Amino acid sequence: ENSSHPNEIPEERRPLVDQWWTSKKVQREPVTSDPYPYLLVSIGTGVSILRVDGPRKHERISGSTIGGGTYWGLCRLLTGSDSFSAVLDLASKGDPTKIDMMVGDIYGEGSNALEKLGLKSDIVASSFGKLVTKQNPSEGIKEEDLARALLLMVTNNIGQVAHLNAKLYKTSRIYFVGTFLQHNIISQQRLAYSIDYWSQGKMEALFLEHEAYFGALGAFLLNHGIEHKKQAVSPSKSRKRRHSKANPTHQRSKSMGSIQFQL
């Protein structure tokens, strides 16, 4: 549950603009016996997107240069934080509405146009757009506001690229992994909300319990050529399997699912 996560932002410290999307639950579930196909979105310094069709059956289909390295690099320029974890703590205290131009800033809070467009006044219209209209863009801006607005900008971009690829490749499950998400509940919640919103509930963002180690585990398995032996089955189960149309790698996918997602 989100409420037990050590890095979740306490309710009293959340900016009002965040309250409408942070309630989306971050799903951490083991892979089912037949999860395929799904997208795997690995967020490290950059972003790689893979379509996975089965054990040892995957293809890199897309990616983005805007990832964790982008966020941390810009934060080093814009803030005094000396580590990635420190800048995440800083972002948890920021108010992005001081920096981002919201839909309500353009149309007004009670405009009839919002109802016609089907938009909320507190949706971001332009990341960092509010600074364009200020004579002194740094006036009244704190480092934590910059860290928060930048985190949401990078996360929104990743979520949209992931959603468009999932739509293109017809996959409803999207697993997000990588060191960028480690202890980063803000991005996890934003991705969970964004995928649900853009897909109108037809797709789901899923996360791992130890998301930062997924790539290292995969590299280890491949480097050592580890194969997963099929478990012995009883004669009755064997007969059922011969007369069914089940995938012959079904048992292996269950084993791999246990290793990858319940580590």
Side-chain angles (χ1 to χ4, degrees), residues 134-186:
K134 296 178 63 175
Q135 186 172 2
N136 180 5
S138 62
E139 183 180 359
I141 303 299
K142 299 178 180 179
E143 287 189 352
E144 50 261 43
D145 302 329
L146 290 167
R148 180 60 165 257
L150 185 59
L151 183 60
L152 294 182
M153 182 181 75
V154 171
T155 302
N156 284 341
N157 183 73
I158 294 170
Q160 192 160 39
V161 171
H163 166 254
L164 291 174
N165 274 280
K167 189 174 182 180
L168 180 64
Y169 287 91
K170 297 179 174 58
T171 54
S172 60
R173 298 185 187 91
I174 308 174
Y175 288 92
F176 290 92
V177 302
T179 52
F180 176 72
L181 296 174
Q182 190 174 28
H183 308 308
N184 184 359
I185 191 64
I186 296 174

Side-chain angles (χ1 to χ4, degrees), residues 8-16 18-20 22-23 189:
E8 184 176 16
I9 306 162
E11 186 73 25
E12 65 273 10
R13 283 174 51 197
R14 287 183 191 161
L16 291 177
D18 283 346
Q19 293 182 351
W20 62 272
T22 53
S23 61
Q189 288 177 321

Side-chain angles (χ1 to χ4, degrees), residues 52-158:
V52 182
D53 292 300
R56 305 292 195 266
K57 297 178 182 178
H58 59 273
E59 177 187 6
R60 187 183 189 277
I61 58 173
S62 187
S64 174
T65 60
I66 302 174
T70 310
Y71 178 65
W72 177 222
L74 288 173
C75 280
R76 292 192 67 191
L77 289 173
L78 299 172
T79 74
S81 298
D82 58 1
S83 69
F84 188 72
S85 59
V87 83
L88 288 181
D89 290 339
L90 188 67
S92 71
K93 297 177 280 189
D95 181 357
T97 62
K98 293 181 179 179
I99 293 172
D100 294 338
M101 182 175 290
M102 317 303 289
V103 170
D105 295 326
I106 299 174
Y107 292 98
E109 293 292 334
S111 173
N112 292 331
L114 293 178
E115 187 175 348
K116 293 178 181 179
L117 293 170
L119 296 174
K120 295 183 178 181
S121 61
D122 50 10
I123 290 178
V124 177
S126 175
S127 297
F128 282 68
K130 196 169 285 185
L131 302 186
V132 176
T133 62
K134 296 178 63 175
Q135 186 172 2
N136 180 5
S138 62
E139 183 180 359
I141 303 299
K142 299 178 180 179
E143 287 189 352
E144 50 261 43
D145 302 329
L146 290 167
R148 180 60 165 257
L150 185 59
L151 183 60
L152 294 182
M153 182 181 75
V154 171
T155 302
N156 284 341
N157 183 73
I158 294 170

